[in-house]
Amino acid sequence: MYKYDEYDQAIVDARVEEFRDQVRRRLAGEISEDQFKPLRLMNGLYLQLHAYMLRVAIPYGTLNATQMRMLAHVARKYDKGYGHFTTRQNIQYNWIKLDEAPDILAELATVEMHAIQTSGNCIRNISSDQFAGAAADEVEDPRPWAELLRQWSTFHPEFTYLPRKFKIAVIGAEEDRAAVKLHDIGLQLHRNDAGEVGFRVFVGGGMGRTPMVAPVIRDFLPKADFLSYMEACLRVYNRYGRRDNIYKARIKILVHEIGAAEYARQVEEEWAHVKTLGLDAPAAEFERIAAFFAPPAFETGLSDTIDRSDPDFAVWLDQNVSAHKAPGYAVVTISLKPTGGIPGDATADQIDLMADLAERYSLDELRITHAQNVVLPHVRKADLYAVWQALDASGLAAPNLDLIGDIIACPGLDYCALANARSIPLAQKISQRFAATQHDLGELKLKISGCINACGHHHAGHIGILGVDRKGVENYQLLLGGSAAEDASLGRITGPGFDEDGVVDAIERAVDTYRSLRTEGERFLDTYRRVGMAPFKEAIYG
Amino acid sequence: MADPDQSDIGGEPKLRFRNDEPHEEPAVTLDSFLGQSNATAVRLESDEDARALLPHIDRLALVEVAFPKFRDGRGYSAGRILREAGYTGELRAQGDVLVDQIPLMLRCGFDSFAPEASVDAKTLAEALSRYTAVYQKAADARRPVWALRHG
Ligand code: SF4
């Protein structure tokens, strides 16, 4: 894992002092809420329905046990004893007091954490593959590049007042676990025909009210030119992205309006100039960062055999444990989606427990996933049973990774000031309704957003649900056929919306249709793609 | 970094980080600048292309870049583009320029400021001295952290 040096620490510490001063000026009445708003937003502090919400960055979703314990401590001391992991691999606290926010940032800084650029129209926290450095299908670990991007984007003088927020994801595998094509910029490390590793660059994906799957604007970007190329991509956007309409200000609209080829041409032209300015960090800097992500000292000669005699353990093993690149090791995903629970929520005690397990069994590493789960990336197969027992005793062993119960849901009307409808109670109902049948249904990604802003990624759900306001009543639209993976696609609306119970019934009719039509090995999404919307629509409304 | 000259010369600029005499000639619009062969000061609106000025950089002594709203960040790119092309004259940020933005603007090459609202001198001084390290190379003389790390 990356470790701060004196420069990194000085920058984060300075930010704490800056924010403390800004809060002081606000509390003393020296600045108005209007003037304060852009300042607090740059520090991830939102004013929500009931209280302030603080979003803490977990860069590329990677953290160690000490940092995880700090998250538990913040939950206990400054919130109501829990935190909410988000679809951007961050954590949010929903019950924060303004005057305590600077103290929280100061405590976070002691463990090399911050809330820098977790909101505002700037380059947000960089996201990545939660299996980075562990995945069996990886070309190269993407995290050193993500860290380089984190540093480059932190207080970037030219790109702090972009037309709109800007999200970048980096992966290093063929399987896309980070939804790169639904980001403003998605970067995928891959090997070209000459055997060199470089980036495939996707630009202009996103959700929101105009969802788009990002086109490739450059198939192979040499590593050495990485930052200058990013600089060119951002400069074209900063200069020509729309600023007349907040709903058309994301880069996806620019790329869509002028076309991917024209955007790519403008970037190449800008890059030809920018490349000459010496903005790229030297190779030595990349190597310095990469050394922190060198593979940990995996033990050798470990057995791959796992005792499956406990049937409950075997179910979890088959569902939540993935292949690791080192023999004798496995990747564990801890589902934060217990039946009837709030997706992504964890109590302070649970966070502490996960930290303990990481320290003891996972080489002191944890990851947060965009599906709002937690990963122990390096667990010896021999320890899996002990890990499962500890998780099970704390309500963290839901064996439902990628099943219908593994719901992504935004905070919705229970917390969010922009919401049209509640997401959480609906997620709880769906999770209860399908608890018994979810294993038979297989991989089925269900995603819920409480309004058109799509924080719950409903466009990219195999089944998506969008909360809307229909004459003052909460109403839910149902979408089918979306995907955030390497086969990215956008869901289509089935037809008229439903009330809360109605949408759960409609989902049941949709999955029954799948069950009757599926062929051997077909996922819900595959069947939908093969047979189309018609049979589902008929079953739902017929 | 030079201390800003806070003397209020003719109402603007309010903050100047240059040692030369303020330019006397008023800034004209981009259109009239491009139409006159002897103008030396120009004002660039936020939707105008800074690159239109590049053929005329040698005769320019003042470029004023408009920031109609603090959220409108196009001027940051305009500033850098001019500096990257070798412009050494005065580069002024005018409009809805907030104290917390001035350090970023300096990094983009601006060296004079005409904010619409008054800027508290103490808050500005603190903002300017707060960050001792920066991560990127930009249009100012500061060396990024990666350069310091690898001496
Ligand atoms: S999708 Fe809408 S309701 Fe949900 S968190 Fe985002 S803004 Fe709030």
Side-chain angles (χ1 to χ4, degrees):
Chain A
M1 275 195 46
Y2 187 70
K3 276 215 64 64
Y4 282 8
D5 68 2
E6 76 222 72
Y7 299 111
D8 300 308
Q9 191 67 51
I11 287 170
V12 167
D13 289 345
R15 178 54 141 199
V16 174
E17 285 322 305
E18 179 176 42
F19 186 59
R20 196 181 285 288
D21 183 57
Q22 289 165 346
V23 169
R24 186 196 56 72
R25 276 149 65 198
R26 173 72 194 111
L27 292 174
E30 289 171 29
I31 49 175
S32 66
E33 171 56 24
D34 268 3
Q35 292 169 313
F36 181 55
K37 188 175 169 191
L39 305 177
R40 66 170 163 76
L41 280 178
M42 288 281 174
N43 283 288
L45 193 67
Y46 288 77
L47 188 54
Q48 290 291 36
L49 283 178
H50 314 290
Y52 281 97
M53 180 271 275
L54 178 69
R55 185 182 293 146
V56 175
I58 301 173
Y60 34 93
T62 292
L63 73 175
N64 63 26
T66 307
Q67 293 173 320
M68 191 74 164
R69 283 196 193 98
M70 176 57 80
L71 298 181
H73 168 73
V74 169
R76 234 178 240 120
K77 183 166 170 191
Y78 301 99
D79 199 286
K80 295 185 174 181
Y82 57 92
H84 177 77
F85 291 99
T86 76
T87 54
R88 295 216 67 252
Q89 304 176 296
N90 296 319
I91 187 168
Q92 290 177 185
Y93 297 101
N94 281 311
W95 303 96
I96 296 302
K97 297 189 190 71
L98 177 59
D99 59 334
E100 292 183 342
D103 294 335
I104 301 176
L105 295 188
E107 294 218 47
L108 289 166
T110 64
V111 297
E112 305 183 3
M113 295 186 87
H114 59 74
I116 293 167
Q117 290 170 215
T118 55
S119 55
N121 291 340
C122 51
I123 302 170
R124 302 289 190 87
N125 185 31
I126 311 297
S127 57
S128 186
D129 182 351
Q130 68 269 18
F131 291 177
D137 64 339
E138 187 165 273
V139 177
E140 210 173 273
D141 191 334
R143 290 171 303 162
W145 299 103
E147 174 60 25
L148 195 63
L149 276 175
R150 182 191 76 82
Q151 298 189 18
W152 165 78
S153 61
T154 298
F155 308 138
H156 194 293
E158 188 176 339
F159 306 133
T160 298
Y161 293 89
L162 294 168
R164 204 72 179 86
K165 58 189 170 184
F166 204 91
K167 302 176 180 180
I168 305 179
V170 201
I171 60 172
E174 206 42 56
E175 189 177 337
D176 179 5
R177 286 169 287 257
V180 291
K181 292 179 202 166
L182 294 168
H183 280 74
D184 295 288
I185 294 184
L187 297 161
Q188 181 185 28
L189 283 159
H190 71 116
R191 206 176 292 281
N192 67 7
D193 295 339
E196 301 148 341
V197 175
F199 296 94
R200 182 173 290 135
V201 184
F202 300 89
V203 181
M207 314 244 195
R209 63 184 70 200
T210 322
M212 305 244 179
V213 174
V216 174
I217 68 138
R218 195 171 222 279
D219 196 60
F220 192 85
L221 173 68
K223 290 168 166 183
D225 302 322
F226 179 59
L227 290 183
S228 54
Y229 193 81
M230 291 296 104
E231 194 102 13
C233 287
L234 266 295
R235 179 174 284 178
V236 171
Y237 170 55
N238 190 43
R239 300 187 76 206
Y240 299 111
R242 288 183 59 173
R243 290 174 187 266
D244 58 326
N245 180 339
I246 185 177
Y247 301 116
K248 296 189 189 301
R250 295 289 289 268
I251 195 173
K252 63 192 172 189
I253 303 292
L254 172 68
V255 172
H256 182 71
E257 285 181 351
I258 67 176
E262 172 60 15
Y263 173 76
R265 189 196 63 75
Q266 292 186 16
V267 169
E268 293 292 322
E269 194 175 292
E270 187 68 49
W271 186 40
H273 158 68
V274 165
K275 218 177 355 180
T276 64
L277 302 172
L279 304 179
D280 286 291
E285 173 63 359
F286 174 74
E287 282 151 23
R288 185 192 73 89
I289 293 172
F292 290 107
F293 297 96
F298 295 118
E299 289 171 51
T300 51
L302 295 178
S303 159
D304 276 315
T305 328
I306 301 167
D307 178 356
R308 303 174 53 95
S309 53
D310 183 329
D312 289 340
F313 168 66
V315 170
W316 176 83
L317 179 69
D318 292 338
Q319 201 61 48
N320 288 39
V321 177
S322 315
H324 195 287
K325 64 182 176 191
Y329 284 84
V331 183
V332 167
T333 301
I334 302 169
S335 167
L336 296 183
K337 321 289 174 66
T339 300
I342 299 177
D345 270 18
T347 66
D349 291 346
Q350 288 177 326
I351 296 172
D352 272 337
L353 175 90
M354 292 187 274
D356 292 347
L357 293 176
E359 205 163 52
R360 184 147 174 219
Y361 296 113
S362 183
L363 304 174
D364 198 24
E365 257 197 58
L366 299 122
R367 310 287 175 77
I368 310 304
T369 84
H370 88 271
Q372 305 177 281
N373 293 317
V374 177
V375 168
L376 299 175
H378 310 298
V379 180
R380 294 189 310 188
K381 287 182 180 166
D383 293 330
L384 285 170
Y385 189 65
V387 168
W388 174 77
Q389 283 181 304
L391 291 172
D392 195 35
S394 297
L396 288 169
N400 61 3
L401 179 64
D402 295 337
L403 302 181
I404 193 170
D406 186 9
I407 297 169
I408 290 182
C410 78
L413 199 51
D414 291 286
Y415 295 103
C416 176
L418 303 173
N420 286 324
R422 285 168 299 168
S423 308
I424 293 170
L426 178 58
Q428 291 170 311
K429 274 194 185 162
I430 294 169
S431 140
Q432 270 152 349
R433 175 80 66 96
F434 298 99
T437 51
Q438 59 181 339
H439 285 272
D440 174 60
L441 294 173
E443 183 184 308
L444 209 178
K445 299 190 178 181
L446 191 141
K447 310 188 182 194
I448 309 173
S449 303
C451 81
I452 199 151
N453 288 326
C455 305
H457 299 182
H458 64 275
H459 301 293
H462 300 178
I463 295 179
I465 300 169
L466 166 64
V468 294
D469 176 286
R470 205 161 142 260
K471 303 191 183 94
V473 182
E474 289 168 69
N475 190 265
Y476 296 93
Q477 290 181 347
L478 188 62
L479 296 87
L480 302 179
S483 168
E486 55 284 357
D487 60 351
S489 60
L490 301 170
R492 277 181 54 207
I493 295 177
T494 55
F498 309 87
D499 65 11
E500 191 174 294
D501 288 321
V503 78
V504 186
D505 292 339
I507 293 166
E508 181 143 23
R509 291 195 288 274
V511 301
D512 285 346
T513 306
Y514 156 67
R515 247 198 288 236
S516 67
L517 295 175
R518 67 182 166 189
T519 59
E520 185 64 31
E522 251 185 2
R523 303 171 299 163
F524 178 91
L525 181 64
D526 303 324
T527 303
Y528 171 84
R529 285 178 174 167
R530 178 172 57 80
V531 305
M533 179 65 96
F536 289 94
K537 203 164 172 165
E538 202 179 298
I540 293 168
Y541 298 100
Chain B
M1 190 173 297
D3 274 340
D5 173 3
Q6 297 240 15
S7 59
D8 209 332
I9 305 156
E12 59 175 323
K14 294 189 175 110
L15 298 162
R16 211 157 171 277
F17 294 78
R18 298 177 64 91
N19 297 323
D20 56 355
E21 287 300 308
H23 193 62
E24 295 286 327
E25 194 186 313
V28 300
T29 65
L30 179 61
D31 278 348
S32 41
F33 175 83
L34 295 175
Q36 292 166 243
S37 57
N38 57 353
T40 56
V42 64
R43 174 180 165 90
L44 206 58
E45 300 304 329
S46 66
D47 60 351
E48 289 174 335
D49 182 4
R51 291 212 161 97
L53 296 174
L54 299 194
H56 316 287
I57 267 183
D58 290 346
R59 69 171 154 110
L60 268 171
L62 169 65
V63 180
E64 178 176 286
V65 178
F67 287 85
K69 293 196 196 90
F70 79 86
R71 272 187 207 85
D72 186 343
R74 284 175 284 194
Y76 295 87
S77 290
R80 279 190 77 173
I81 284 167
L82 289 167
R83 292 302 189 205
E84 285 162 9
Y87 173 65
T88 55
E90 180 167 340
L91 187 57
R92 182 185 300 163
Q94 186 281 327
D96 192 9
V97 172
L98 307 179
V99 59
D100 297 270
Q101 296 180 309
I102 289 177
L104 297 171
M105 289 179 174
L106 279 165
R107 298 218 63 214
C108 289
F110 289 90
D111 54 12
S112 90
F113 300 88
E116 270 155 13
S118 70
V119 167
D120 178 62
K122 181 168 162 283
T123 309
L124 177 63
E126 281 168 4
L128 290 178
S129 62
R130 183 165 278 124
Y131 290 97
T132 52
V134 292
Y135 279 125
Q136 323 74 6
K137 188 165 176 219
D140 57 354
R142 300 182 75 177
R143 296 181 71 212
V145 162
W146 52 254
L148 302 173
R149 280 173 180 147
H150 302 280

